[in-house]
């Protein structure tokens, strides 16, 4: 800044020959005007023209521009008319890293796939990639960046199919193993297909109405038979009445107290004395 008002303040470019201090608060005591052609003539061998594609936190988008620069000094800049799509994607990936994975369009299917992969990574870490949030953020270039080509803004991420991105990363050839070890649903004795909840990778759960699992002797297992499901047994109103990983023990011991309570609250429903021999039903009573 000048120490007092100066006509030079109106100039686009000056040479500050005598200053005190550093940065924006440095005081200018002696200066002269200079034109851009003069700068380009004197420093022609030091001026570079660069294409810059980067994430701009303040703008919240990827900035793509052509810049003529003398060191750190920008002489001229203009938007790039045809930036490299791959460079745009890589810059947007930087924006996702700085903002967080919550900006991605996590559909129910994509979120469950991520949780299934996290479950497999926890129980078979040598065979499956780590799908925790920290690991996915660190591996962004491996699984997501190829799907960001040509995108510039966070609101354009809704175009990205995260299920396809994650499956491509894992490998489509492993889809059968994924379905076998960490299925999305489990068919229960009533015939219903119930979605498995993988939100806790240490204890995946199955929330199902009690009447739909009559006759199911043992707790279902996944992960190649290594991991029992946490059975969240529900009333006809879908309220939890028991949580167990030992279904056989529940039928043998706790069921009769639960039955007594449910018969009082839901007298029209089917509450057999022998649940292991009874017919499972999704209706009020079996046909």
């Amino acid at each position: 800044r000048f120490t007092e008002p100066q006509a030079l303040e109106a100039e686009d470019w000056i040479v500050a020959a005598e200053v005190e201090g550093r940065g924006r608060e440095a005081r200018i005591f002696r200066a002269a005007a200079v034109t851009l052609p003069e700068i380009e003539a004197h420093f022609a061998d030091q001026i570079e023209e660069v294409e810059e594609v980067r994430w701009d936190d303040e703008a919240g988008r990827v900035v793509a521009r052509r810049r003529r620069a003398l060191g750190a000094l920008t002489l001229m800049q203009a938007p790039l008319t045809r930036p490299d799509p791959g460079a745009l994607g890589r810059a947007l990936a930087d924006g996702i890293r700085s903002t967080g994975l919550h900006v991605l369009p996590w559909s129910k299917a994509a979120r469950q796939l991520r949780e299934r992969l996290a479950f497999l990574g926890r129980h078979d870490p040598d065979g499956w990639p780590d799908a925790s949030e920290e690991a996915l953020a660190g591996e962004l270039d491996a699984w997501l960046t190829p799907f960001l080509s040509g995108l510039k803004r966070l609101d354009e991420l809704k175009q990205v199919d995260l299920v396809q991105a994650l499956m491509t990363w894992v490998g489509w050839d492993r889809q059968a193993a994924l379905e076998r070890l960490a299925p999305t649903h489990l068919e229960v004795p009533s015939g219903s297909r119930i979605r498995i909840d993988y939100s806790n990778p240490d204890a995946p759960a199955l929330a199902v109405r009690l009447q739909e699992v009559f006759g199911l002797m043992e707790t279902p297992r996944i992960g190649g038979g290594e991991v029992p499901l946490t059975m969240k047994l529900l009333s006809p109103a879908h309220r939890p009445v028991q949580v167990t990983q030992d279904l056989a023990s529940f039928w043998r011991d706790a069921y009769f107290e639960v039955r007594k309570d449910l018969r009082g609250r839901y007298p029209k429903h089917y509450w057999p004395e022998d649940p292991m021999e009874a017919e499972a039903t999704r209706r009020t009573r079996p046909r």
Side-chain angles (χ1 to χ4, degrees), residues 3-213:
T3 56
E4 56 187 38
Q6 292 280 346
L8 289 176
E9 290 176 339
E11 298 291 338
D12 289 331
W13 304 95
I14 64 169
V15 175
E18 186 179 336
V19 299
E20 181 183 89
R22 299 175 65 85
R24 291 181 180 273
E25 294 304 311
R27 293 183 295 168
I28 303 171
F29 293 101
R30 184 179 297 178
V34 63
T35 65
L36 184 58
E38 287 174 324
I39 295 172
E40 291 178 331
H42 282 287
F43 299 100
D45 61 337
Q46 298 179 47
I47 292 173
E48 296 181 316
E49 186 167 302
V50 295
E51 291 188 355
E52 185 179 73
V53 180
R54 64 176 180 82
W55 173 257
D56 187 321
D57 268 321
E58 188 173 339
R61 58 170 294 153
V62 175
V63 173
R65 63 187 180 182
R66 178 177 286 105
R67 191 165 68 93
R68 283 175 59 77
L70 173 61
L73 184 65
T74 298
L75 303 177
M76 183 187 70
Q77 65 181 18
L80 279 177
T81 55
R82 294 183 179 178
D84 173 57
L88 291 174
R90 290 189 292 274
L92 184 56
D94 290 337
I96 294 169
R97 287 189 192 92
S98 66
T99 310
L101 295 187
H102 65 275
V103 300
L104 295 176
W106 292 104
S107 64
K108 183 180 290 187
R111 195 175 300 279
Q112 190 194 40
L113 175 55
R114 172 180 159 186
E115 291 170 348
R116 291 162 68 202
L117 292 173
F119 162 75
L120 289 172
R122 182 72 59 88
H123 294 278
D124 186 14
D126 296 329
W128 295 88
D130 185 353
S132 64
E133 183 165 345
E134 297 78 11
L136 287 179
E139 292 286 334
L140 215 57
D141 288 339
W143 71 274
L144 184 62
T145 301
F147 291 84
L148 303 179
S149 181
L151 304 184
K152 298 179 182 179
R153 303 188 307 273
L154 295 179
D155 61 5
E156 294 178 321
L157 290 172
K158 59 180 178 288
Q159 304 174 32
V160 179
D161 185 339
L162 294 183
V163 171
Q164 183 182 7
L166 287 169
M167 284 303 301
T168 301
W169 178 50
V170 171
W172 292 100
D173 56 326
R174 306 191 71 181
Q175 187 171 3
L178 175 64
E179 294 301 323
R180 183 179 71 256
L181 298 172
T184 59
H185 294 73
L186 182 77
E187 184 171 329
V188 294
S190 68
S192 296
R193 293 185 74 249
I194 308 296
R195 179 180 291 272
I196 300 174
D197 177 7
Y198 288 92
S199 56
N200 181 352
D202 289 320
L206 191 76
V208 58
R209 288 187 302 168
L210 176 60
Q211 292 171 302
E212 299 205 49
V213 291

